[in-house]
Amino acid sequence: MDVRRDGPPLRVRNVVVRGNKRTSPELFEQQLQATYAASSFAGVTESLNHAAQELRNLNIFESVDILIDKAPGGDRHEADVTITVKELRMASLYAGVNSDGHEGTATTTCTLTNPLGHAERIELSASHGQYGSDVQKASYHKPKFLGLPLWLNADAVNEVINHERFSSYHERFRGGTVSLTDENNRHELSMNLGWRDIVPVRNKKIPSTYAASPSIMAEAEPSTKSSVKYVYNDDQRNDAALPTAGRLLRTSLEVAGLWGDVNFVKGEVEMQRHYPIGPTAFNHPILNLSLSSRVGAVKSYGADRHQPARISDRFFLGGPLTLRGFNHKGVGPRANPDDGGVATGDALGGEVYYSACASLGFPFPVPLLALLGLRGHVFCNAGSLMGWDRILDEQNWMTNLLGESRAAAGVGIVMGTRFGRFEANYSWVLKSLAGDRVKRAQLGLGLHFI
């Protein structure tokens, strides 16, 4: 049934918008096309309700109200519409501290909401890590790109990331990303261009020499990466930070080599499934079973096909949210400590990895803290990180995979926060290999976890 002709006839004669001090009238016109085409009372009201919801979804208004009234001096089948909006303030400032499990970071972000009147959002941020990492970033976000249900996102980044605690180098990066994302954030297609440079640690006693291992020194040259990346994200969880029901499937595929001197194909798959068990208590089910896994691989091709992926593009494994019981970058290929670098050997990363976890959540035994969202959990996780030579060994690939897997079990507390999932855990390592960096007591905060 065509809602434009359903019910008593009605057409909109005039539309008046009030309160739009910065917002362009074109933005309202885009949402009112169906209203102008409607020819019945049901069609007009339905299209106006849809337009109001679309305007609210832009996240630039505190309120959106629509009034339909009889058109003065007009036909009895004509109506005037008044849209009253209250715009969000244009500028906001955020300052806070967060952590990825190995480095605390102080961040300041200035956000401009709808500054040009087309529902765009501009963000300028700067952060400084406790070990010397620095990031400056400018972002532009525009909904309804070309009138389509797409977000246009553009980022420019200048950063220096300090890896000296684990791999005796720091990395400089300057680059940008342009991406398109659907309104449900399920599909994302991006183009990336960046210049990277690996800078080895210098010898503190003899500054003219380097203290990094030969493996890091071999990576110490600038590179330019251009890539296309696609991400599929199907998130059906009831909470992103503390899920107790639902599922997640996130996949990504990146191809580098359009321009520059880096050529690789890189893919990852992440899956989660959460099962509530028993009645609800303290706003959560009594128990919840969570199963999570991640796998990833990167492979060089073209001119780089006989070389491993560069250290900037490899995977690293270990930490309170990726492989509990092991330190950040605590698992995988490592340089010989006798060759220089950090005392336990520079972490070099790997080209193939997996991690998996099973956990059982339960209410925290202190009722007041349980009401605040704090839960306990017991867990068991396993994972491995290696190079292609271990996987492509046709005779021993399964033996290599199982033999180089690590495992740990433990207990801890978890809580969902505005910054992500917070965990405090104690682990018993069930299996480790020589050179692994074990860490039994850990604190973690982040949005990505197993």
Side-chain angles (χ1 to χ4, degrees), residues 242-440:
L242 190 62
T244 57
R247 59 180 172 82
L248 167 71
L249 173 62
R250 182 183 291 120
T251 65
S252 66
L253 178 65
E254 182 178 14
V255 180
L258 304 178
W259 183 76
D261 52 6
V262 178
N263 302 280
F264 67 80
V265 178
K266 185 176 186 178
E268 286 187 90
V269 178
E270 178 182 0
M271 295 180 289
Q272 294 182 11
R273 192 70 173 93
H274 305 275
Y275 301 92
I277 302 173
T280 299
F282 305 109
N283 301 317
H284 295 286
I286 290 288
L287 301 174
N288 67 281
L289 174 65
S290 297
L291 304 174
S292 307
S293 64
R294 284 186 194 168
V295 295
V298 57
K299 187 74 172 70
S300 301
Y301 72 92
D304 297 335
R305 64 185 180 277
H306 299 303
Q307 304 175 12
R310 299 174 189 247
I311 196 169
S312 300
D313 305 310
R314 297 175 200 160
F315 299 104
F316 290 88
L317 187 60
L321 300 179
T322 61
L323 190 60
R324 300 168 184 87
F326 297 87
N327 206 349
H328 179 71
K329 294 187 177 182
V331 168
R334 193 172 297 277
N336 190 326
D338 296 333
D339 292 338
V342 299
T344 55
D346 286 335
L348 303 177
E351 297 174 289
V352 183
Y353 86 97
Y354 87 89
S355 59
C357 179
S359 66
L360 184 68
F362 53 88
F364 194 72
V366 179
L368 179 59
L369 295 179
L371 280 172
L372 295 176
L374 196 66
R375 288 178 66 80
H377 74 155
V378 293
F379 60 86
C380 182
N381 59 192
S384 184
L385 175 68
M386 61 188 73
W388 279 109
D389 58 323
R390 308 294 290 168
I391 294 295
L392 297 180
D393 185 344
E394 295 183 4
Q395 301 295 325
N396 301 304
W397 71 271
M398 181 59 73
T399 301
N400 294 338
L401 181 62
L402 296 177
E404 297 185 19
S405 291
R406 285 79 160 175
V411 62
I413 56 175
V414 295
M415 185 175 184
T417 75
R418 60 174 294 189
F419 306 109
R421 179 184 179 93
F422 169 77
E423 290 193 14
N425 299 316
Y426 187 87
S427 305
W428 291 268
V429 175
L430 306 177
K431 183 184 178 184
S432 62
L433 300 183
D436 288 346
R437 299 185 64 178
V438 171
K439 189 172 184 179
R440 293 181 174 84

Side-chain angles (χ1 to χ4, degrees), residues 151-202:
W151 278 81
L152 172 67
N153 308 285
D155 300 310
V157 180
N158 176 50
E159 63 182 14
V160 176
I161 304 300
N162 191 327
H163 299 278
E164 296 178 8
R165 295 176 61 217
F166 310 101
S167 303
S168 70
Y169 73 92
H170 64 266
E171 182 176 5
R172 296 173 180 169
F173 175 82
R174 295 185 182 95
T177 299
V178 177
S179 66
L180 291 175
T181 307
D182 71 325
E183 293 184 331
N184 297 321
N185 200 33
R186 179 165 292 189
H187 304 276
E188 180 182 12
L189 182 64
S190 63
M191 295 190 65
N192 312 278
L193 178 63
W195 173 86
R196 303 97 58 87
D197 191 16
I198 301 298
V199 183
V201 172
R202 289 188 176 273

Side-chain angles (χ1 to χ4, degrees), residues 10-20 24-38 44-45 47-49 51-52 55 64-72 78-85:
L10 184 67
R11 282 194 174 277
V12 172
R13 187 182 68 170
N14 293 315
V15 175
V16 177
V17 180
R18 296 174 178 170
N20 57 324
S24 168
E26 296 176 3
L27 194 68
F28 298 93
E29 288 293 313
Q30 292 174 1
Q31 305 302 329
L32 292 171
Q33 294 306 307
T35 301
Y36 295 147
V44 169
T45 55
S47 61
L48 284 174
N49 286 333
L55 291 171
V64 177
D65 297 305
I66 295 182
L67 175 66
I68 305 176
D69 200 2
K70 182 179 178 181
E78 292 181 330
D80 289 346
V81 174
T82 302
I83 302 176
T84 305
V85 298

